Amino acid sequence: MSSVFQTYFQLGFFHIFNLQAYDHLVFLLALCAPYVLSDWRRVVALVTSFTVGHSITLALATLNVVQYNPALIEKLIPVTILITCLVNIVKAGRANTRPIVAPTRREPLVLTLPNLLAASFGLIHGLGFSSYLRELLGQQSKPVLELLSFNLGVEIGQLLIVGLILLLGFLVLRGFDAVRRDWVLITSGAALGIALVLLIG
């Protein structure tokens, strides 16, 4: 059992780093673009919300509970990136014109609109993951342990990636004395450009 867990954990971990799945990496870039290193708790909640979403549809599709059109999912994944980037760009523009007001209360960490959006988009990305996992599983009827370990591997891989993104942002903002708004616009713009290429191609 432990060898099965380790095998599928590693498959999930390394799948998120696979360049053939770079659309998921671009989504993570867009998802984390508005945040800085000090926001790490909020980012962990955001990425975990995304994982919850894609874990649901990954399980349902792998167990053949739901059917889907792979070609449609391939088009919807870049749409999730586009929407995320546009939200980032709009918020960055508003932040530049909004007056500075002292916060009156602490914002929630889990039940937030960004987390809900990430979980919703995760439902789409989970269907994208399922094709790969079903190829690995073959004809297994109830691969519960495999699903659990694969999802955990993906989650740890995602957290490592967003940690690197936050660290890169920290170095750019501190090392080059860059403006946070410019960082959000540049990273979101780059992700948006890649999403357009994926959508058109």
Side-chain angles (χ1 to χ4, degrees), residues 20-57:
Q20 293 181 343
Y22 71 94
D23 49 352
H24 301 290
L25 296 176
V26 176
F27 179 76
L28 289 174
L29 174 64
L31 198 64
C32 298
Y35 300 95
V36 293
L37 196 57
S38 60
D39 298 322
W40 67 269
R41 291 181 183 83
R42 202 164 294 282
V43 173
V44 169
L46 192 66
V47 173
T48 302
S49 298
F50 176 60
T51 299
V52 169
H54 73 61
S55 296
I56 293 170
T57 48

mmCIF file of all heavy atoms in Angstrom, residues 20-57:
data_model
loop_
_atom_site.group_PDB
_atom_site.id
_atom_site.type_symbol
_atom_site.label_atom_id
_atom_site.label_comp_id
_atom_site.label_asym_id
_atom_site.label_seq_id
_atom_site.Cartn_x
_atom_site.Cartn_y
_atom_site.Cartn_z
ATOM 1 N N GLN A 20 4.320 19.540 -20.671
ATOM 2 C CA GLN A 20 3.116 19.271 -21.463
ATOM 3 C C GLN A 20 1.860 19.751 -20.739
ATOM 4 O O GLN A 20 0.813 19.922 -21.360
ATOM 5 C CB GLN A 20 3.007 17.770 -21.769
ATOM 6 C CG GLN A 20 4.106 17.273 -22.702
ATOM 7 C CD GLN A 20 3.968 15.798 -23.004
ATOM 8 O OE1 GLN A 20 3.260 15.067 -22.305
ATOM 9 N NE2 GLN A 20 4.632 15.341 -24.051
ATOM 10 N N ALA A 21 1.980 19.971 -19.438
ATOM 11 C CA ALA A 21 0.851 20.482 -18.645
ATOM 12 C C ALA A 21 1.110 21.933 -18.246
ATOM 13 O O ALA A 21 0.677 22.375 -17.185
ATOM 14 C CB ALA A 21 0.645 19.609 -17.406
ATOM 15 N N TYR A 22 1.811 22.669 -19.111
ATOM 16 C CA TYR A 22 2.191 24.035 -18.745
ATOM 17 C C TYR A 22 1.003 24.975 -18.620
ATOM 18 O O TYR A 22 1.109 26.044 -18.022
ATOM 19 C CB TYR A 22 3.212 24.604 -19.739
ATOM 20 C CG TYR A 22 2.682 24.919 -21.111
ATOM 21 C CD1 TYR A 22 2.242 26.200 -21.429
ATOM 22 C CD2 TYR A 22 2.637 23.951 -22.103
ATOM 23 C CE1 TYR A 22 1.763 26.506 -22.690
ATOM 24 C CE2 TYR A 22 2.165 24.248 -23.365
ATOM 25 C CZ TYR A 22 1.729 25.521 -23.659
ATOM 26 O OH TYR A 22 1.253 25.816 -24.906
ATOM 27 N N ASP A 23 -0.152 24.597 -19.179
ATOM 28 C CA ASP A 23 -1.335 25.449 -19.009
ATOM 29 C C ASP A 23 -1.714 25.564 -17.536
ATOM 30 O O ASP A 23 -2.153 26.630 -17.079
ATOM 31 C CB ASP A 23 -2.516 24.920 -19.840
ATOM 32 C CG ASP A 23 -2.762 23.429 -19.658
ATOM 33 O OD1 ASP A 23 -1.937 22.760 -19.011
ATOM 34 O OD2 ASP A 23 -3.772 22.935 -20.182
ATOM 35 N N HIS A 24 -1.512 24.490 -16.768
ATOM 36 C CA HIS A 24 -1.797 24.545 -15.335
ATOM 37 C C HIS A 24 -0.778 25.433 -14.614
ATOM 38 O O HIS A 24 -1.117 26.149 -13.664
ATOM 39 C CB HIS A 24 -1.780 23.137 -14.740
ATOM 40 C CG HIS A 24 -2.783 22.217 -15.362
ATOM 41 N ND1 HIS A 24 -4.138 22.361 -15.179
ATOM 42 C CD2 HIS A 24 -2.638 21.155 -16.186
ATOM 43 C CE1 HIS A 24 -4.777 21.414 -15.848
ATOM 44 N NE2 HIS A 24 -3.887 20.677 -16.473
ATOM 45 N N LEU A 25 0.473 25.395 -15.075
ATOM 46 C CA LEU A 25 1.509 26.258 -14.493
ATOM 47 C C LEU A 25 1.195 27.726 -14.757
ATOM 48 O O LEU A 25 1.367 28.577 -13.877
ATOM 49 C CB LEU A 25 2.879 25.911 -15.088
ATOM 50 C CG LEU A 25 3.419 24.509 -14.799
ATOM 51 C CD1 LEU A 25 4.740 24.298 -15.532
ATOM 52 C CD2 LEU A 25 3.614 24.299 -13.310
ATOM 53 N N VAL A 26 0.721 28.013 -15.966
ATOM 54 C CA VAL A 26 0.371 29.394 -16.321
ATOM 55 C C VAL A 26 -0.812 29.862 -15.481
ATOM 56 O O VAL A 26 -0.862 31.017 -15.043
ATOM 57 C CB VAL A 26 0.046 29.506 -17.827
ATOM 58 C CG1 VAL A 26 -0.425 30.917 -18.183
ATOM 59 C CG2 VAL A 26 1.269 29.148 -18.660
ATOM 60 N N PHE A 27 -1.767 28.967 -15.228
ATOM 61 C CA PHE A 27 -2.901 29.326 -14.378
ATOM 62 C C PHE A 27 -2.425 29.665 -12.970
ATOM 63 O O PHE A 27 -2.905 30.637 -12.353
ATOM 64 C CB PHE A 27 -3.922 28.191 -14.323
ATOM 65 C CG PHE A 27 -5.098 28.492 -13.432
ATOM 66 C CD1 PHE A 27 -6.101 29.344 -13.852
ATOM 67 C CD2 PHE A 27 -5.187 27.942 -12.164
ATOM 68 C CE1 PHE A 27 -7.179 29.645 -13.024
ATOM 69 C CE2 PHE A 27 -6.261 28.231 -11.329
ATOM 70 C CZ PHE A 27 -7.260 29.084 -11.770
ATOM 71 N N LEU A 28 -1.490 28.884 -12.445
ATOM 72 C CA LEU A 28 -0.954 29.165 -11.104
ATOM 73 C C LEU A 28 -0.255 30.519 -11.073
ATOM 74 O O LEU A 28 -0.363 31.257 -10.086
ATOM 75 C CB LEU A 28 0.016 28.062 -10.683
ATOM 76 C CG LEU A 28 -0.598 26.694 -10.358
ATOM 77 C CD1 LEU A 28 0.492 25.664 -10.100
ATOM 78 C CD2 LEU A 28 -1.535 26.790 -9.156
ATOM 79 N N LEU A 29 0.447 30.857 -12.152
ATOM 80 C CA LEU A 29 1.103 32.163 -12.238
ATOM 81 C C LEU A 29 0.065 33.280 -12.177
ATOM 82 O O LEU A 29 0.224 34.254 -11.427
ATOM 83 C CB LEU A 29 1.912 32.264 -13.537
ATOM 84 C CG LEU A 29 2.539 33.631 -13.836
ATOM 85 C CD1 LEU A 29 3.570 34.000 -12.779
ATOM 86 C CD2 LEU A 29 3.181 33.632 -15.224
ATOM 87 N N ALA A 30 -0.996 33.121 -12.961
ATOM 88 C CA ALA A 30 -2.066 34.131 -12.970
ATOM 89 C C ALA A 30 -2.760 34.203 -11.619
ATOM 90 O O ALA A 30 -3.093 35.283 -11.127
ATOM 91 C CB ALA A 30 -3.078 33.799 -14.068
ATOM 92 N N LEU A 31 -2.958 33.058 -10.993
ATOM 93 C CA LEU A 31 -3.651 32.990 -9.712
ATOM 94 C C LEU A 31 -2.884 33.724 -8.610
ATOM 95 O O LEU A 31 -3.472 34.392 -7.761
ATOM 96 C CB LEU A 31 -3.840 31.513 -9.322
ATOM 97 C CG LEU A 31 -4.891 31.169 -8.261
ATOM 98 C CD1 LEU A 31 -6.284 31.528 -8.747
ATOM 99 C CD2 LEU A 31 -4.807 29.694 -7.924
ATOM 100 N N CYS A 32 -1.550 33.615 -8.660
ATOM 101 C CA CYS A 32 -0.716 34.179 -7.589
ATOM 102 C C CYS A 32 -0.181 35.567 -7.900
ATOM 103 O O CYS A 32 0.437 36.189 -7.022
ATOM 104 C CB CYS A 32 0.469 33.252 -7.319
ATOM 105 S SG CYS A 32 -0.034 31.633 -6.762
ATOM 106 N N ALA A 33 -0.383 36.057 -9.111
ATOM 107 C CA ALA A 33 0.195 37.342 -9.532
ATOM 108 C C ALA A 33 -0.118 38.505 -8.585
ATOM 109 O O ALA A 33 0.758 39.336 -8.334
ATOM 110 C CB ALA A 33 -0.262 37.669 -10.952
ATOM 111 N N PRO A 34 -1.326 38.624 -8.035
ATOM 112 C CA PRO A 34 -1.624 39.797 -7.189
ATOM 113 C C PRO A 34 -1.010 39.748 -5.794
ATOM 114 O O PRO A 34 -1.118 40.714 -5.042
ATOM 115 C CB PRO A 34 -3.163 39.779 -7.085
ATOM 116 C CG PRO A 34 -3.630 38.792 -8.090
ATOM 117 C CD PRO A 34 -2.530 37.823 -8.254
ATOM 118 N N TYR A 35 -0.379 38.627 -5.431
ATOM 119 C CA TYR A 35 0.058 38.443 -4.051
ATOM 120 C C TYR A 35 1.574 38.567 -3.901
ATOM 121 O O TYR A 35 2.322 38.349 -4.851
ATOM 122 C CB TYR A 35 -0.413 37.082 -3.533
ATOM 123 C CG TYR A 35 -1.913 36.923 -3.566
ATOM 124 C CD1 TYR A 35 -2.539 36.314 -4.651
ATOM 125 C CD2 TYR A 35 -2.709 37.421 -2.548
ATOM 126 C CE1 TYR A 35 -3.922 36.195 -4.708
ATOM 127 C CE2 TYR A 35 -4.089 37.295 -2.589
ATOM 128 C CZ TYR A 35 -4.691 36.685 -3.677
ATOM 129 O OH TYR A 35 -6.056 36.574 -3.734
ATOM 130 N N VAL A 36 1.995 38.897 -2.690
ATOM 131 C CA VAL A 36 3.413 38.982 -2.353
ATOM 132 C C VAL A 36 3.715 37.950 -1.267
ATOM 133 O O VAL A 36 2.810 37.292 -0.757
ATOM 134 C CB VAL A 36 3.797 40.404 -1.890
ATOM 135 C CG1 VAL A 36 3.677 41.394 -3.036
ATOM 136 C CG2 VAL A 36 2.941 40.848 -0.711
ATOM 137 N N LEU A 37 4.993 37.838 -0.939
ATOM 138 C CA LEU A 37 5.432 36.787 -0.025
ATOM 139 C C LEU A 37 4.731 36.851 1.331
ATOM 140 O O LEU A 37 4.421 35.820 1.929
ATOM 141 C CB LEU A 37 6.952 36.889 0.164
ATOM 142 C CG LEU A 37 7.662 35.678 0.767
ATOM 143 C CD1 LEU A 37 7.406 34.422 -0.060
ATOM 144 C CD2 LEU A 37 9.155 35.945 0.880
ATOM 145 N N SER A 38 4.453 38.050 1.808
ATOM 146 C CA SER A 38 3.780 38.190 3.110
ATOM 147 C C SER A 38 2.330 37.711 3.076
ATOM 148 O O SER A 38 1.705 37.527 4.121
ATOM 149 C CB SER A 38 3.827 39.651 3.571
ATOM 150 O OG SER A 38 3.186 40.494 2.632
ATOM 151 N N ASP A 39 1.789 37.494 1.872
ATOM 152 C CA ASP A 39 0.413 36.990 1.728
ATOM 153 C C ASP A 39 0.377 35.471 1.652
ATOM 154 O O ASP A 39 -0.625 34.905 1.196
ATOM 155 C CB ASP A 39 -0.223 37.544 0.429
ATOM 156 C CG ASP A 39 -0.336 39.055 0.427
ATOM 157 O OD1 ASP A 39 -0.636 39.620 1.490
ATOM 158 O OD2 ASP A 39 -0.121 39.664 -0.639
ATOM 159 N N TRP A 40 1.409 34.780 2.084
ATOM 160 C CA TRP A 40 1.533 33.343 1.840
ATOM 161 C C TRP A 40 0.354 32.534 2.395
ATOM 162 O O TRP A 40 -0.059 31.546 1.775
ATOM 163 C CB TRP A 40 2.859 32.813 2.391
ATOM 164 C CG TRP A 40 2.992 32.831 3.881
ATOM 165 C CD1 TRP A 40 3.496 33.816 4.658
ATOM 166 C CD2 TRP A 40 2.595 31.777 4.779
ATOM 167 N NE1 TRP A 40 3.452 33.473 5.989
ATOM 168 C CE2 TRP A 40 2.909 32.221 6.098
ATOM 169 C CE3 TRP A 40 2.023 30.522 4.617
ATOM 170 C CZ2 TRP A 40 2.662 31.450 7.224
ATOM 171 C CZ3 TRP A 40 1.762 29.749 5.733
ATOM 172 C CH2 TRP A 40 2.083 30.208 7.019
ATOM 173 N N ARG A 41 -0.199 32.944 3.529
ATOM 174 C CA ARG A 41 -1.358 32.211 4.077
ATOM 175 C C ARG A 41 -2.548 32.293 3.126
ATOM 176 O O ARG A 41 -3.254 31.300 2.904
ATOM 177 C CB ARG A 41 -1.746 32.781 5.451
ATOM 178 C CG ARG A 41 -0.739 32.517 6.554
ATOM 179 C CD ARG A 41 -1.217 33.088 7.872
ATOM 180 N NE ARG A 41 -0.246 32.909 8.940
ATOM 181 C CZ ARG A 41 0.784 33.703 9.157
ATOM 182 N NH1 ARG A 41 0.967 34.778 8.377
ATOM 183 N NH2 ARG A 41 1.630 33.470 10.144
ATOM 184 N N ARG A 42 -2.776 33.471 2.588
ATOM 185 C CA ARG A 42 -3.870 33.668 1.645
ATOM 186 C C ARG A 42 -3.645 32.862 0.371
ATOM 187 O O ARG A 42 -4.577 32.311 -0.217
ATOM 188 C CB ARG A 42 -3.993 35.160 1.324
ATOM 189 C CG ARG A 42 -5.357 35.583 0.796
ATOM 190 C CD ARG A 42 -5.527 37.080 0.886
ATOM 191 N NE ARG A 42 -5.558 37.539 2.260
ATOM 192 C CZ ARG A 42 -6.624 37.423 3.042
ATOM 193 N NH1 ARG A 42 -7.729 36.867 2.592
ATOM 194 N NH2 ARG A 42 -6.594 37.871 4.278
ATOM 195 N N VAL A 43 -2.384 32.764 -0.057
ATOM 196 C CA VAL A 43 -2.051 32.004 -1.264
ATOM 197 C C VAL A 43 -2.236 30.508 -1.031
ATOM 198 O O VAL A 43 -2.750 29.797 -1.899
ATOM 199 C CB VAL A 43 -0.607 32.315 -1.720
ATOM 200 C CG1 VAL A 43 -0.201 31.406 -2.876
ATOM 201 C CG2 VAL A 43 -0.473 33.774 -2.133
ATOM 202 N N VAL A 44 -1.843 30.021 0.140
ATOM 203 C CA VAL A 44 -2.056 28.605 0.469
ATOM 204 C C VAL A 44 -3.544 28.278 0.444
ATOM 205 O O VAL A 44 -3.969 27.247 -0.103
ATOM 206 C CB VAL A 44 -1.449 28.266 1.852
ATOM 207 C CG1 VAL A 44 -1.904 26.877 2.314
ATOM 208 C CG2 VAL A 44 0.075 28.324 1.795
ATOM 209 N N ALA A 45 -4.377 29.154 1.017
ATOM 210 C CA ALA A 45 -5.828 28.957 1.003
ATOM 211 C C ALA A 45 -6.359 28.965 -0.433
ATOM 212 O O ALA A 45 -7.239 28.173 -0.789
ATOM 213 C CB ALA A 45 -6.517 30.039 1.827
ATOM 214 N N LEU A 46 -5.805 29.837 -1.264
ATOM 215 C CA LEU A 46 -6.227 29.960 -2.659
ATOM 216 C C LEU A 46 -5.887 28.701 -3.445
ATOM 217 O O LEU A 46 -6.732 28.146 -4.163
ATOM 218 C CB LEU A 46 -5.535 31.176 -3.277
ATOM 219 C CG LEU A 46 -6.010 31.679 -4.633
ATOM 220 C CD1 LEU A 46 -7.435 32.225 -4.536
ATOM 221 C CD2 LEU A 46 -5.067 32.763 -5.148
ATOM 222 N N VAL A 47 -4.647 28.231 -3.305
ATOM 223 C CA VAL A 47 -4.196 27.035 -4.031
ATOM 224 C C VAL A 47 -4.938 25.797 -3.536
ATOM 225 O O VAL A 47 -5.313 24.924 -4.333
ATOM 226 C CB VAL A 47 -2.671 26.859 -3.883
ATOM 227 C CG1 VAL A 47 -2.219 25.535 -4.487
ATOM 228 C CG2 VAL A 47 -1.939 28.010 -4.556
ATOM 229 N N THR A 48 -5.181 25.718 -2.235
ATOM 230 C CA THR A 48 -5.922 24.574 -1.690
ATOM 231 C C THR A 48 -7.362 24.580 -2.193
ATOM 232 O O THR A 48 -7.936 23.509 -2.466
ATOM 233 C CB THR A 48 -5.883 24.596 -0.150
ATOM 234 O OG1 THR A 48 -4.522 24.571 0.288
ATOM 235 C CG2 THR A 48 -6.617 23.401 0.428
ATOM 236 N N SER A 49 -7.954 25.754 -2.352
ATOM 237 C CA SER A 49 -9.306 25.852 -2.924
ATOM 238 C C SER A 49 -9.312 25.316 -4.352
ATOM 239 O O SER A 49 -10.223 24.585 -4.755
ATOM 240 C CB SER A 49 -9.776 27.308 -2.927
ATOM 241 O OG SER A 49 -9.848 27.816 -1.621
ATOM 242 N N PHE A 50 -8.278 25.663 -5.106
ATOM 243 C CA PHE A 50 -8.130 25.157 -6.472
ATOM 244 C C PHE A 50 -7.992 23.633 -6.460
ATOM 245 O O PHE A 50 -8.619 22.935 -7.260
ATOM 246 C CB PHE A 50 -6.911 25.811 -7.122
ATOM 247 C CG PHE A 50 -6.578 25.300 -8.499
ATOM 248 C CD1 PHE A 50 -7.484 25.408 -9.545
ATOM 249 C CD2 PHE A 50 -5.339 24.727 -8.759
ATOM 250 C CE1 PHE A 50 -7.178 24.945 -10.813
ATOM 251 C CE2 PHE A 50 -5.023 24.265 -10.024
ATOM 252 C CZ PHE A 50 -5.937 24.378 -11.051
ATOM 253 N N THR A 51 -7.209 23.112 -5.510
ATOM 254 C CA THR A 51 -7.012 21.662 -5.401
ATOM 255 C C THR A 51 -8.313 20.953 -5.061
ATOM 256 O O THR A 51 -8.606 19.882 -5.608
ATOM 257 C CB THR A 51 -5.949 21.345 -4.331
ATOM 258 O OG1 THR A 51 -4.711 21.953 -4.710
ATOM 259 C CG2 THR A 51 -5.738 19.848 -4.187
ATOM 260 N N VAL A 52 -9.095 21.531 -4.151
ATOM 261 C CA VAL A 52 -10.390 20.935 -3.791
ATOM 262 C C VAL A 52 -11.268 20.820 -5.037
ATOM 263 O O VAL A 52 -11.887 19.780 -5.292
ATOM 264 C CB VAL A 52 -11.101 21.772 -2.714
ATOM 265 C CG1 VAL A 52 -12.551 21.321 -2.540
ATOM 266 C CG2 VAL A 52 -10.358 21.677 -1.384
ATOM 267 N N GLY A 53 -11.291 21.890 -5.832
ATOM 268 C CA GLY A 53 -12.094 21.873 -7.058
ATOM 269 C C GLY A 53 -11.643 20.811 -8.026
ATOM 270 O O GLY A 53 -12.458 20.000 -8.504
ATOM 271 N N HIS A 54 -10.334 20.769 -8.321
ATOM 272 C CA HIS A 54 -9.904 19.797 -9.332
ATOM 273 C C HIS A 54 -9.887 18.367 -8.798
ATOM 274 O O HIS A 54 -9.990 17.412 -9.572
ATOM 275 C CB HIS A 54 -8.574 20.193 -9.991
ATOM 276 C CG HIS A 54 -7.337 20.047 -9.168
ATOM 277 N ND1 HIS A 54 -6.886 18.858 -8.655
ATOM 278 C CD2 HIS A 54 -6.408 20.967 -8.815
ATOM 279 C CE1 HIS A 54 -5.750 19.040 -8.023
ATOM 280 N NE2 HIS A 54 -5.443 20.315 -8.095
ATOM 281 N N SER A 55 -9.817 18.203 -7.460
ATOM 282 C CA SER A 55 -9.887 16.854 -6.890
ATOM 283 C C SER A 55 -11.271 16.237 -7.091
ATOM 284 O O SER A 55 -11.399 15.034 -7.322
ATOM 285 C CB SER A 55 -9.548 16.893 -5.394
ATOM 286 O OG SER A 55 -8.219 17.309 -5.185
ATOM 287 N N ILE A 56 -12.304 17.080 -6.994
ATOM 288 C CA ILE A 56 -13.686 16.591 -7.153
ATOM 289 C C ILE A 56 -13.908 16.041 -8.550
ATOM 290 O O ILE A 56 -14.338 14.897 -8.732
ATOM 291 C CB ILE A 56 -14.694 17.720 -6.843
ATOM 292 C CG1 ILE A 56 -14.643 18.085 -5.358
ATOM 293 C CG2 ILE A 56 -16.110 17.299 -7.250
ATOM 294 C CD1 ILE A 56 -15.427 19.333 -5.003
ATOM 295 N N THR A 57 -13.612 16.847 -9.560
ATOM 296 C CA THR A 57 -13.870 16.390 -10.934
ATOM 297 C C THR A 57 -12.862 15.341 -11.387
ATOM 298 O O THR A 57 -13.190 14.477 -12.209
ATOM 299 C CB THR A 57 -13.860 17.581 -11.912
ATOM 300 O OG1 THR A 57 -12.702 18.387 -11.665
ATOM 301 C CG2 THR A 57 -15.106 18.424 -11.767
#
